[in-house]
Amino acid sequence: MKNSSLDQSVRQTVAYYESIIAKMPGHVYWLDEHAFALGGNENVLNMFGFKSVDEFKGLSFEKMGEICNWSLETVNSFKKDSLEVLHTGQAKLNIEEPPITNCQGKLIFFLTSRVPILDINNKVIGVIGISIDITEQKKLEENLKLAKIKTEIADKAKTEFIMNMSHDLRTPLTGIISLASLQVTNGTSVQERQYGQWIYSAAEQLLELLNSVLEVTAAEYHIELIAKDTLHLQQFAEELQALMQPVVVAKGLEFQLKLDSRLPSVITDQIKLKRIILNLLSNAVKFTKQGKIGLEITALMIKKDEAKIEIRITDTGIGITKDKLDKIFDRFYRVHPSYQAEYSGYGIGLFLVKKAVKLLGGKIKVTSETDKGSCFSLEFIFPVVHNVIAKVNSEIAHSESVQLGKVNGAVLVAEDNTLVLFAVKNILTNLGFDVTTVTEGKAALHALQNKSFVWALLDIGLPDLDGTEIVRCYRQWEQKNNKYYLPIFSLTAHIEKDIIDKCKEVGFDYVLKKPFTEKDIQMIKKILEEKNVFF
Ligand code: ADP
């Protein structure tokens, strides 16, 4: 009597716990010390289509795999993980299992934890597995991945479109700039020269915008090229002042240039630094109605190999309120949006400035007071160049190379855009070169092989034969026929690194960026001197 009531109590307790386990969420199962099934909750039984736990008891993983049509790989993976827990006595938690099918063929993803079952002597006698169905999360994840891929494709298409469009606009624009610069120097009346100057400034501004768009796009692609130019800071600053002078005068402002007398020649990316300062100076002019704009360059420290340079751009304009000072460097942020129509702009200038300053290893700070003015200060540590008399001034370049009446040598220019071709030919003819022009690739190759030139300038995108192909063929022919080395320069609106690399690889001596101006002659001359070719 006593025993039977004890049995009943045990049976009740077992039934109680079995009913708890049966209803437990997730898939719960337990195996013996050889990884054979001992029991499982309702979810596990449903998965195999069993009515009672007895049907599940004693099954091996191979048998379970047969029932639900699992691959051998899946069976082995389940078995391996369970045996590992049995052998090591260590739990394996939150393992993402390979997806499996249930007996109806539905694909399920599980996140599984397995823990050892221990007897009273701490001996491992089995393993408990709890698997959580994560199929829905997986689907979401997959959808997110797909959406991300789609967005990336769309983003790439957008970027390519912007890059192509900017490039296609640049080519005719560079022609306009070259022609306008010709009109500035060769115009027969003051008015003609003035018109030339205005066309030149407007086109330069447009080119600047296109370059900025290209730069933003390139920055998104993480394309970052840094040139190493030798820069004479004093001449550089004077050049910037000359560039800004027309707009400063037009607005009735004063330009104040303060230069430290000890400014050294330094190495940096001239174009980037110029763009940084011009952007800040243009803003200074734009946001100032009266008073002055200042450019101040100071050598804070000069050591043997490097110098710490501070560049300050100041204005007496509208200023920026304190709460906006951080935001002005954000992409497309403007304190006065265009619908207020007072100040034009795109809100990308300072974003690019900040990026470029960082790229050149510098720092930028801004202080400002409403209605008093702003001060943007830059700090860079530049490597110093000794014994260099930089001749970046285009007037020097001009007076050196223009020797009227003297023929500087025969050059070939290949360019399919007639406007650009006309402008380049004019510049070179004015500088005393005997210029042969062609508009197609095959004609360029023919001319190179049949006439003699001191150097050649080839556009990359010629219609019939790409500039890089011409040079590849020409270099082979030149070597085979033991010809003197001919320096060849490429002229391109493409500023992407892979294109510049390709040009160098096929045998171009230097890549010149459109628009071609008299200043490019400086670079050509330098390279010719390196190759012992003089004109
Ligand atoms: P934007 O093309 O609009 O000038 P920027 O990125 O160069 O774009 O500048 C962002 C905003 O910062 C400007 O729209 C203007 O509100 C503010 N800002 C920039 N420079 C100055 C300045 N010197 N004085 C006052 N506000 C300025």
Side-chain angles (χ1 to χ4, degrees):
M1 183 69 199
K2 218 175 166 190
N3 265 352
S4 81
S5 76
L6 189 68
D7 281 354
Q8 198 183 350
S9 147
V10 169
R11 270 201 302 278
Q12 273 174 356
T13 310
V14 169
Y16 173 71
Y17 285 113
E18 272 181 357
S19 80
I20 291 178
I21 292 170
K23 298 289 177 197
M24 269 174 90
H27 290 62
V28 184
Y29 54 90
W30 54 102
L31 314 173
D32 67 14
E33 72 266 42
H34 304 296
F36 285 89
L38 279 178
N41 70 349
E42 278 178 7
N43 285 335
V44 169
L45 303 186
N46 290 340
M47 187 167 141
F48 293 99
F50 297 149
K51 294 266 173 320
S52 89
V53 78
D54 293 334
E55 291 176 80
F56 182 54
K57 263 185 196 160
L59 288 189
S60 63
F61 277 110
E62 285 82 356
K63 199 72 202 158
M64 295 179 213
E66 258 174 48
I67 296 167
C68 289
N69 217 358
W70 299 342
S71 70
L72 187 64
E73 209 183 340
T74 308
V75 169
N76 287 341
S77 153
F78 280 123
K79 195 169 165 182
K80 185 177 144 267
D81 280 355
S82 298
L83 288 174
E84 209 174 303
V85 175
L86 286 167
H87 292 154
T88 61
Q90 300 287 323
K92 288 194 84 177
L93 305 175
N94 298 325
I95 309 290
E96 214 179 293
E97 308 274 23
I100 52 168
T101 43
N102 65 12
C103 63
Q104 279 110 32
K106 186 183 167 226
L107 196 69
I108 310 172
F109 289 82
F110 281 120
L111 186 73
T112 299
S113 294
R114 293 184 177 87
V115 289
I117 307 171
L118 307 173
D119 66 9
I120 47 168
N121 299 316
N122 272 343
K123 187 174 163 244
V124 180
I125 54 166
V127 55
I128 304 175
I130 301 178
S131 299
I132 310 292
D133 184 342
I134 53 165
T135 313
E136 281 310 307
Q137 285 98 308
K138 273 282 170 197
K139 269 192 204 154
L140 271 176
E141 232 175 69
E142 283 307 307
N143 288 345
L144 272 177
K145 262 189 214 157
L146 268 178
K148 189 166 171 264
I149 291 170
K150 275 190 194 162
T151 319
E152 277 168 5
I153 291 171
D155 197 50
K156 195 161 173 253
K158 177 211 76 183
T159 307
E160 274 170 15
F161 170 74
I162 293 175
M163 280 187 140
N164 285 339
M165 196 196 64
S166 307
H167 170 255
D168 291 350
L169 287 175
R170 270 174 63 106
T171 308
L173 195 56
T174 55
I176 297 173
I177 290 175
S178 308
L179 281 179
S181 83
L182 273 180
Q183 198 176 330
V184 172
T185 28
N186 299 344
T188 48
S189 68
V190 174
Q191 196 182 40
E192 240 181 47
R193 287 195 290 274
Q194 178 65 76
Y195 287 168
Q197 181 60 52
W198 283 336
I199 299 171
Y200 184 86
S201 306
E204 273 267 310
Q205 221 176 316
L206 200 51
L207 186 65
E208 197 65 27
L209 170 64
L210 285 178
N211 284 340
S212 302
V213 172
L214 270 177
E215 224 170 278
V216 172
T217 329
E220 278 172 359
Y221 260 132
H222 306 294
I223 306 166
E224 286 167 351
L225 314 169
I226 308 171
K228 288 195 171 127
D229 307 307
T230 299
L231 192 65
H232 191 267
L233 284 168
Q234 188 176 336
Q235 279 178 3
F236 176 68
E238 284 160 2
E239 212 186 310
L240 290 172
Q241 183 186 20
L243 276 171
M244 291 305 297
Q245 202 63 30
V247 270
V248 172
V249 172
K251 265 195 107 173
L253 303 170
E254 193 194 321
F255 194 105
Q256 215 170 50
L257 182 66
K258 269 198 213 161
L259 299 176
D260 191 329
S261 57
R262 305 163 306 155
L263 287 182
S265 290
V266 297
I267 292 180
T268 186
D269 187 319
Q270 175 171 348
I271 292 179
K272 284 202 173 60
L273 188 62
K274 190 169 172 182
R275 208 172 283 159
I276 292 169
I277 303 175
L278 279 181
N279 250 304
L280 296 173
L281 285 172
S282 304
N283 276 350
V285 172
K286 183 159 65 172
F287 296 104
T288 304
K289 289 202 175 99
Q290 57 188 27
K292 43 188 184 206
I293 307 303
L295 172 62
E296 200 178 319
I297 309 188
T298 316
L300 297 179
M301 175 270 290
I302 306 178
K303 282 203 216 154
K304 195 165 151 270
D305 299 322
E306 58 182 34
K308 191 194 258 186
I309 304 292
E310 185 192 50
I311 304 170
R312 281 157 51 90
I313 294 96
T314 54
D315 65 61
T316 54
I318 59 168
I320 307 156
T321 51
K322 276 211 164 47
D323 59 318
K324 305 271 166 44
L325 280 181
D326 274 351
K327 296 201 186 97
I328 56 170
F329 293 99
D330 291 350
R331 191 163 56 152
F332 305 126
Y333 181 81
R334 298 165 57 190
V335 178
H336 311 273
S338 56
Y339 59 81
Q340 294 179 355
E342 193 173 355
Y343 301 102
S344 62
Y346 310 97
I348 47 174
L350 289 182
F351 168 75
L352 291 172
V353 162
K354 194 171 178 186
K355 259 190 179 307
V357 169
K358 194 169 164 214
L359 213 59
L360 300 187
K363 284 188 262 180
I364 181 162
K365 276 192 290 191
V366 53
T367 52
S368 188
E369 214 177 310
T370 317
D371 295 330
K372 288 253 168 69
S374 309
C375 170
F376 286 80
S377 79
L378 308 162
E379 210 177 278
F380 295 99
I381 294 185
F382 292 132
V384 171
V385 190
H386 299 285
N387 303 325
V388 169
I389 307 158
K391 291 175 184 174
V392 287
N393 192 317
S394 70
E395 277 172 25
I396 299 172
H398 190 257
S399 64
E400 269 189 358
S401 36
V402 177
Q403 295 171 25
L404 289 176
K406 178 185 169 229
V407 173
N408 267 328
V411 296
L412 175 73
V413 180
E415 166 66 64
D416 63 326
N417 183 311
T418 42
L419 200 62
V420 175
L421 185 63
F422 177 77
V424 175
K425 185 183 176 187
N426 255 286
I427 291 170
L428 293 176
T429 310
N430 280 345
L431 292 173
F433 288 98
D434 172 14
V435 186
T436 299
T437 58
V438 288
T439 53
E440 287 179 354
K442 283 189 189 129
L445 188 58
H446 184 262
L448 286 172
Q449 292 175 339
N450 291 285
K451 289 176 101 179
S452 68
F453 299 104
V454 281
W455 52 272
L457 182 64
L458 309 184
D459 178 29
I460 305 277
L462 292 167
D464 55 337
L465 196 59
D466 191 67
T468 53
E469 269 316 298
I470 301 173
V471 173
R472 203 193 295 276
C473 293
Y474 179 76
R475 290 288 180 229
Q476 282 167 5
W477 177 88
E478 184 181 54
Q479 244 188 357
K480 207 167 129 204
N481 294 287
N482 270 333
K483 297 283 174 188
Y484 279 116
Y485 184 85
L486 175 72
I488 309 179
F489 303 89
S490 71
L491 188 58
T492 176
H494 290 279
I495 52 169
E496 298 89 40
K497 186 176 181 304
D498 49 345
I499 292 174
I500 294 173
D501 286 349
K502 189 171 178 204
C503 285
K504 291 196 176 146
E505 180 211 313
V506 296
F508 272 110
D509 291 271
Y510 195 77
V511 181
L512 296 168
K513 281 174 209 138
K514 289 180 181 177
F516 183 86
T517 64
E518 274 183 37
K519 275 192 206 163
D520 289 310
I521 291 294
Q522 279 284 75
M523 182 48 78
I524 291 179
K525 212 172 160 190
K526 187 172 154 250
I527 289 166
L528 295 182
E529 276 167 12
E530 279 167 22
K531 312 244 171 207
N532 287 328
V533 180
F534 297 96
F535 61 80

